[in-house]
Amino acid sequence: VSILMILILSFYFIIDKERINTEIYNLAPKKWHENLKFIQKVIDDTFASFLRVQVLFGLLAGISTWIVLTIFGVNFAASTSLIAGILNIIPLVGPLLGIIPAILVVLVSDPTNPIKALLVFVILLLIQQITFNVIGPKVMGKAFRLHPIIILLSFILGAKIAGPLGAIFAIPVLGIIGIIFRELGHYFINPQKSDK
């Protein structure tokens, strides 16, 4: 129910984006308008970077699933890999959901050989661990200009504070805060350069 409500609200926010922006600007004093535009740009860019990273994870998961299924001679490797890649785009739970289609296809195509399904599961899980725990922090660190250790710590801290949603949004929120503080630093250190 919560996911459905989020999707419905997101749809209306996207449709009425311009009207919502206009209302916010009308309520705020004119001297705040430039600051509001800056904050809006930072938020848009940060979440766009977050989405690009998630799509990259989905692409890597889809390709790795296709390679593993092809090596094991499993039917429908391409379509299963496509589904796995799409599911991997979902933050936090995507990697777990992405393995399920591959395991199901292996079990259906060769029900007398559960060892094959177990091997596929172990290999895909190992690839995911490398992708999300080794490559992932470095990719996100470059996208948000944050150190990989800070990415990992923010993920853990977000999960502790607000559960799964905290883990999902900790990194983009930290990215937004980091960019705003960097820009404020540039402004106070060299205001003429910031004005340009």
Side-chain angles (χ1 to χ4, degrees), residues 64-83:
S64 60
T65 302
W66 178 78
I67 291 170
V68 171
L69 294 181
T70 303
I71 290 171
F72 280 90
V74 179
N75 295 325
F76 309 108
S79 55
T80 306
S81 302
L82 178 63
I83 295 169

Side-chain angles (χ1 to χ4, degrees), residues 2-164:
S2 298
I3 292 171
L4 183 61
M5 288 300 298
I6 289 169
L7 291 173
I8 292 170
L9 288 172
S10 301
F11 173 76
Y12 281 112
F13 282 145
I14 292 169
I15 295 297
D16 288 337
K17 178 184 175 183
E18 295 302 324
R19 193 170 73 178
I20 292 169
N21 281 347
T22 303
E23 291 295 331
I24 291 171
Y25 282 110
N26 287 339
L27 289 170
K30 286 188 177 180
K31 62 180 180 180
W32 292 3
H33 285 192
E34 286 301 317
N35 293 332
L36 287 173
K37 286 178 183 176
F38 166 70
I39 291 169
Q40 182 183 6
K41 183 180 183 303
V42 168
I43 292 171
D44 287 346
D45 291 347
T46 304
F47 276 95
S49 297
F50 182 69
L51 183 60
R52 282 195 293 269
V53 170
Q54 292 303 126
V55 170
L56 177 62
F57 286 159
L59 186 63
L60 290 174
I63 292 170
S64 60
T65 302
W66 178 78
I67 291 170
V68 171
L69 294 181
T70 303
I71 290 171
F72 280 90
V74 179
N75 295 325
F76 309 108
S79 55
T80 306
S81 302
L82 178 63
I83 295 169
I86 293 169
L87 289 173
N88 268 271
I89 294 173
I90 302 170
L92 201 64
V93 296
L96 179 62
L97 295 175
I99 293 180
I100 295 172
I103 303 305
L104 290 176
V105 168
V106 174
L107 288 172
V108 170
S109 62
D110 196 357
T112 59
N113 192 3
I115 300 298
K116 183 190 284 189
L118 181 62
L119 283 172
V120 169
F121 172 76
V122 170
I123 292 169
L124 290 177
L125 186 65
L126 184 62
I127 292 170
Q128 280 189 1
Q129 293 302 309
I130 294 170
T131 302
F132 289 98
N133 295 321
V134 179
I135 300 171
K138 291 182 180 179
V139 172
M140 284 196 169
K142 287 183 179 179
F144 297 110
R145 289 188 289 173
L146 296 169
H147 195 278
I149 293 175
I150 295 174
I151 295 288
L152 283 172
L153 289 175
S154 65
F155 183 84
I156 294 167
L157 188 62
K160 288 286 184 184
I161 293 171

